[in-house]
Amino acid sequence: MTNLQALSRFYLTLVPFLAAAVALAIGHSKPQLYLPIWLVHALLMVIAVRHLGKNCLTSLDPQQRQRGAIALLVIIPWTFFTVFAGMGPPPTSIADWVATATEQQIRYALLIAGGISITAGFALLANQLRQSGEKTYGLLGLLAMGIALPLFILNMAYWGSFLVESFTHFSGVSMAKRPDWYLAMRALFTWISGVEVALFYLATAGFAQALQSIGWFKARACRLYLIFSLAGALLSVLPPFSIEPLVIATYLVSIPAFPFIMPYLMGLHLLNLANRTLPIVQ
């Protein structure tokens, strides 16, 4: 790996964590401010991916090129997810939801598109794993993702469409009390959210174990993925607790883009494999 490739990987590895830190620390900014910054950052990401994946994306080996395609499918969504750093977390009041309705619709539309892209990437990865002789963990991971994706789309549509329209209506009629149907829907989607988030984390655990089985992950890296994935799955389905650290942890692991951080890091790893002297598993 060249120094430029190492620098590119370091920068790309920091991307989701820096975006989350900015979003949580600064909150919502004006589009006139964050969109130009995001465009510059997106260009830097494209350049970094090009340098890191040069050996993989331009290889004459079809296995290497498919590995590059898999990586791109899970990395590209994060080029768009980073715009959430300027949008900040979802609003906490009806007035803010109504004022930022268009941004919220864009946020959840990008998440849906990103979830579909990442699932497609992992479907291709499951195929490569099967060709390499791994037929259990990759299949279980793909099954978990296949169940999670429709729930994820439904959940994101709830946040991006149903809530926006409901809050606009509530604001227009000045309701002091939420109708029963709204409370029932909110309870339902709390369950749906917990299940789909847990399934995405479990899918990541399955693919991490599969990648170790064929030698693309070292045992230590696999253990880290398993620990964080299983912890995320458990926290996402825990009932509400009054213990502050658990409340914060449950909130963080359930942020829609957060379950996609580990797949993103896996994508970087797949690009980086071509920069090493590891043999290609046939």
Side-chain angles (χ1 to χ4, degrees):
M1 183 191 295
T2 66
N3 290 336
L4 190 56
Q5 287 172 328
L7 181 61
S8 296
R9 187 178 187 187
F10 177 73
Y11 171 68
L12 291 169
T13 301
L14 291 179
V15 162
F17 305 103
L18 290 176
V22 170
L24 294 172
I26 298 178
H28 183 266
S29 303
K30 292 182 178 180
Q32 299 92 323
L33 174 63
Y34 70 75
L35 285 178
I37 296 174
W38 170 72
L39 287 172
V40 172
H41 161 73
L43 178 61
L44 290 175
M45 277 193 72
V46 170
I47 294 172
V49 168
R50 180 174 176 273
H51 284 302
L52 179 63
K54 180 171 59 176
N55 296 343
C56 187
L57 299 172
T58 60
S59 173
L60 297 178
D61 189 322
Q63 290 284 84
Q64 287 278 29
R65 288 200 305 275
Q66 188 180 62
R67 190 183 297 173
I70 294 167
L72 289 180
L73 283 170
V74 297
I75 291 171
I76 287 174
W78 274 96
T79 306
F80 297 95
F81 290 171
T82 51
V83 76
F84 303 156
M87 293 182 181
T92 56
S93 70
I94 290 179
D96 288 341
W97 270 97
V98 174
T100 61
T102 301
E103 286 177 281
Q104 305 315 319
Q105 290 168 338
I106 292 172
R107 181 201 302 270
Y108 294 106
L110 288 175
L111 284 164
I112 289 173
I116 293 171
S117 178
I118 291 167
T119 303
F122 272 81
L124 293 178
L125 177 59
N127 181 59
Q128 266 213 352
L129 291 168
R130 182 182 58 80
Q131 293 175 359
S132 301
E134 205 297 308
K135 300 180 180 179
T136 302
Y137 294 110
L139 180 60
L140 290 174
L142 184 61
L143 176 63
M145 284 200 117
I147 298 172
L149 181 62
L151 297 177
F152 177 75
I153 294 173
L154 188 62
N155 191 30
M156 295 302 98
Y158 166 78
W159 283 84
S161 177
F162 176 80
L163 283 187
V164 170
E165 296 298 327
S166 296
F167 289 155
T168 302
H169 174 69
F170 296 159
S171 177
V173 298
S174 300
M175 284 186 170
K177 182 182 178 181
R178 301 290 170 265
D180 292 341
W181 58 262
Y182 168 77
L183 298 176
M185 287 290 287
R186 186 174 66 179
L188 171 64
F189 276 91
T190 298
W191 277 89
I192 290 175
S193 176
V195 171
E196 58 95 351
V197 169
L199 285 170
F200 273 128
Y201 281 116
L202 292 175
T204 302
F207 279 107
Q209 186 62 57
L211 289 168
Q212 185 196 1
S213 298
I214 65 170
W216 290 3
F217 261 8
K218 294 181 180 178
R220 182 180 178 184
C222 180
R223 281 196 298 271
L224 289 174
Y225 275 94
L226 290 177
I227 289 170
F228 285 110
S229 296
L230 296 177
L234 177 61
L235 287 168
S236 66
V237 297
L238 281 179
F241 282 96
S242 59
I243 304 174
E244 193 64 26
L246 279 179
V247 172
I248 295 173
T250 299
Y251 168 75
L252 289 176
V253 301
S254 299
I255 292 174
F258 272 39
F260 298 139
I261 291 179
M262 285 185 286
Y264 169 82
L265 297 177
M266 286 182 176
L268 296 183
H269 179 75
L270 291 176
L271 281 186
N272 194 51
L273 279 176
N275 299 322
R276 300 180 181 179
T277 56
L278 293 176
I280 301 174
V281 182
Q282 300 291 342

